Amino acid sequence: MSVTYQDSNARMSQVAVHNGTVYLAGQVPMDASADMRGQTEQVLARIDQLLAQAGTSKEQLLSAQIWVTSMAEFDQMNAAWDTWVVPGRPPVRAAVEAKLAKPEWKVEIMVIAALPEA
């Protein structure tokens, strides 16, 4: 099966689709002046956009990897996550504390989702 790439540049793609599975690159906030919850909400909104562009949605999430810069703000990230994730359909998930590429970013999230069956 072929692989399709979306929103690509010379270094990376934001989306790759292969064999009924959608892979998103790690997503970061556009407005880094927001607090942890605000940054997380921005990232989740971007994930919604990219999943829709690829033909799927958060209802089809399989897994999520989350990086936060401070576990002291972990509850704020989870508050945004808990209101976003589909009840009864939470993906498998890992969350770790890490230094991100830009010091003003507080959160980065990468997800994998299935394409809905035709």
Side-chain angles (χ1 to χ4, degrees):
M1 299 198 89
S2 66
V3 179
T4 59
Y5 301 95
Q6 300 172 9
D7 288 345
S8 302
N9 61 31
R11 179 169 292 149
M12 63 181 286
S13 296
Q14 293 299 313
V15 180
V17 181
H18 177 260
N19 199 25
T21 306
V22 177
Y23 303 86
L24 266 56
Q27 300 301 309
V28 294
M30 297 300 286
D31 176 9
S33 68
D35 64 6
M36 174 66 84
R37 183 171 184 150
Q39 287 195 22
T40 303
E41 289 168 346
Q42 292 174 46
V43 170
L44 297 173
R46 178 66 175 146
I47 288 170
D48 281 336
Q49 292 171 345
L50 290 169
L51 291 174
Q53 176 182 309
T56 191
S57 68
K58 64 185 175 184
E59 285 82 9
Q60 302 296 319
L61 282 182
L62 301 172
S63 71
Q65 295 176 333
I66 303 170
W67 297 271
V68 297
T69 56
S70 172
M71 282 298 180
E73 298 179 290
F74 191 65
D75 289 344
Q76 291 181 47
M77 182 280 299
N78 273 329
W81 176 270
D82 291 345
T83 61
W84 176 80
V85 75
V86 177
R89 298 188 68 117
V92 297
R93 188 182 106 160
V96 298
E97 184 176 72
K99 184 176 179 181
L100 301 181
K102 291 188 177 181
E104 60 270 24
W105 290 341
K106 295 178 174 286
V107 61
E108 182 169 352
I109 303 174
M110 185 169 72
V111 301
I112 300 171
L115 287 171
E117 293 183 11

